[in-house]
Amino acid sequence: MDTKKVYIESYGCQMNFSDSEIVASILAKEGYEPVTSVDGADLVLLNTCSIRDKAEQTVLNRIDGLNHLKVKHPAMKVGVLGCMAERMREELIERKHLVDLVVGPDAYRSLPELLEDLGSGQKAVNVLLSRDETYADIERVRLGSNGVSAFITIMRGCDNMCAFCVVPFTRGRERSRDPKTIVEEARKLFQDGIREVTLLGQNVDSYRWNVDSRGNVKDTNEAVVDFADLLGLVADVSPQLRVRFSTSHPKDMTDKVLRTMAARPNICKYIHLPVQSGSSEVLQRMNRGYDRAWYKERIDAIRRHMPDCAISTDIIAGFCGESEDDHRSTLGLMDEVRYDMAYMFKYSERPKTLAARKYPDDVPEVDKGRRLQEIIDLQMQHAGERNQRHVGQVQEVLIEGTSKRSQDHLFGRNTYNAVVIVPRFQGAEELKPGQYIQARIISATSGSLQGDPVGIGMEPARRSPEPVSI
Ligand code: SAH
Ligand code: SF4
Ligand code: F3S
């Protein structure tokens, strides 16, 4: 078979980066080899994101930018995958003459036939969403792996209808992946040297295997597995394998998950719990399914089970109808929680969403910008303060690679997901990616920690975890 070259560029969330590995795997069987530059590629695929208008504009500009390559290599094909393929199929096909192929997130198995259709000069499109596709059986080709950490998709789609969010439209109905294939993937990754896996889903707390949409058990001979059970099963692969996950949803996060985390040293003490707003009225309009008091209670529950757990969040500034008082409630909530980290955005109206249909996008752009800046400034302050708490502690760090700033330093992460910079050598020994070390934290900024290695390997006291029965 002739080898052809495919270049895949991924935008958006980790789910998309993970999907690109599924695509690479499907294409490998068709003789496509992944390459790291567009130059000389036979097929260029953009795996795209629709979450905010800016994300889409970036990709539309990128498509135009590919024009000169197409002039040079007329045989080169350009495909759009992912969320924009789903949301903007007509525009992409009609207006963007450069686009030959449009494939939605649930249709990647049809890529071989679509590529064949392209051969006959037609444009090829498949944006069908599925109720059961999880690509469970596809062995991922790891793209751009650092050899230390990897993502594992445990579910797809989303059944929540947050008023601002396009994801349910682009990714379809929620479905969970067979836990056996998840554990198998984790085991294989561990054998290949991976030491940290992140379990991915839009709302991991609603992971449920062997239960139908009405809550009834589907197969009585098989176990029902919820997210806490799944976490335990993946943590059982090895005490040397760190387990992370994203994203938790405040309305669904259970104490059972928190107990499982607390009981397992290798489940990282870090939870991403997007709040979106600190105002109960805004949360109601956002259709998030919780209010401020409920959210605060979930934060308290995390701190009851794991007093040291790091917490991060997502915040949207300037959602429809947000008043100055609502905005101050968000700042007030941030003061109460003191997040270790946050992703912060200006509200961007998305076509067809509940908010676009029901509420005017009425916060003036200048106010959105100012509110966002106030949120960012406060978060910087909190992150700096939170990082100071590590100083003086000896922490376990999993080394990931060379520091961006200096060849003489490596970087890794502690269990709290904070980046720790350490010197490359401990005495005569050179530290290596994939190694666990013990490091004394000597200083901190809002972005990272400086560590001094005091020992190599895991903490000796680290015992094998108790198996979770399911
Ligand atoms: N499933 C995750 C979020 C996925 S999208 C959850 O429920 O938390 C990631 C983040 O993008 C969201 O948490 C939200 O803060 C932000 N976001 C989503 N839609 C947005 C929009 N229309 N405008 C601005 N930010 C948005
Ligand atoms: Fe979007 Fe809400 Fe689903 Fe997250 S939970 S993906 S914000 S609809
Ligand atoms: Fe973007 Fe789709 Fe992820 S809209 S954030 S790539 S699910």
Side-chain angles (χ1 to χ4, degrees), residues 51-52 164-165 202 247 249 274 276 288 314-316 345-348 350:
I51 202 81
R52 285 167 289 275
F164 50 80
C165 185
Q202 293 300 347
T247 304
H249 197 300
Q276 315 299 357
R288 283 288 286 179
D314 292 346
I315 297 175
I316 298 178
F345 314 100
K346 264 195 269 185
Y347 172 58
S348 162
R350 308 282 56 222

Side-chain angles (χ1 to χ4, degrees), residues 158-162 164-168 202-203 249 276 288:
C158 183
D159 279 355
N160 294 312
M161 275 284 167
C162 300
F164 50 80
C165 185
V166 78
V167 172
Q202 293 300 347
N203 176 0
H249 197 300
Q276 315 299 357
R288 283 288 286 179

Side-chain angles (χ1 to χ4, degrees), residues 11 22 58 75 85 106 169-170 176 227 270 297 321 340 394 425:
Y11 296 81
I22 293 171
T58 307
D106 286 345
F169 301 92
T170 62
S176 297
F227 181 58
Y270 168 70
E297 198 287 317
D340 293 78
V394 172
F425 286 91

